[in-house]
Amino acid sequence: MKHNDKTLVPRATLAAALPSSTDILRGSLLQRRIRHRSGCAVCARGDGHLISVLTVSYPGGRTKQISLRPEQKPIVEQWLRNYRQIKATLERICELNHQRLRAERNSGR
């Protein structure tokens, strides 16, 4: 493959902009309302308590849910954003690699 390829600079730029791969999280952040059975004035009024839950789907239709403390929510939101950004950037890099392969194949003809 040629080193003066037009896809090298965009690929390197995309890769350099990636967030840390250790600060990522796959899943969905949900808001759920829980209610205590007895002894809670808030629940007795019917209001309940709003909590954040991280839901992760696995093959075979299995899901895991993790209840989060309020102070964990901003961290989880950032890690989910990082995951989506990394995934989208990898897709763009793959498309550039496809273009590079096509160009190499066509230049050999």
Side-chain angles (χ1 to χ4, degrees):
M1 298 215 175
K2 299 177 186 174
H3 291 289
N4 60 358
D5 193 335
K6 294 178 184 175
T7 62
L8 291 178
V9 172
R11 287 184 324 160
T13 303
L14 287 170
L18 287 171
S20 170
S21 61
T22 59
D23 295 334
I24 62 172
L25 193 59
R26 184 176 65 83
S28 300
L29 187 61
L30 308 174
Q31 298 298 312
R32 189 163 282 155
R33 192 168 300 278
I34 61 168
R35 291 180 175 82
H36 298 108
R37 292 178 187 249
S38 63
C40 179
V42 174
C43 293
R45 285 194 311 263
D47 294 337
H49 304 276
L50 196 61
I51 63 165
S52 297
V53 178
L54 175 70
T55 301
V56 183
S57 298
Y58 291 96
R62 295 179 305 129
T63 60
K64 288 188 180 179
Q65 295 185 351
I66 302 170
S67 298
L68 303 173
R69 295 188 312 271
E71 63 270 14
Q72 290 177 305
K73 185 179 175 185
I75 296 166
V76 169
E77 289 172 330
Q78 181 61 51
W79 288 357
L80 290 168
R81 278 192 301 273
N82 288 350
Y83 176 81
R84 287 189 297 268
Q85 181 185 355
I86 288 172
K87 187 174 178 182
T89 302
L90 288 176
E91 287 297 328
R92 290 197 303 267
I93 291 171
C94 287
E95 188 56 38
L96 289 170
N97 286 338
H98 292 160
Q99 291 172 11
R100 184 176 183 192
L101 288 172
R102 281 187 215 105
E104 282 291 320
R105 182 191 69 206
N106 293 337
S107 69
R109 289 183 178 176

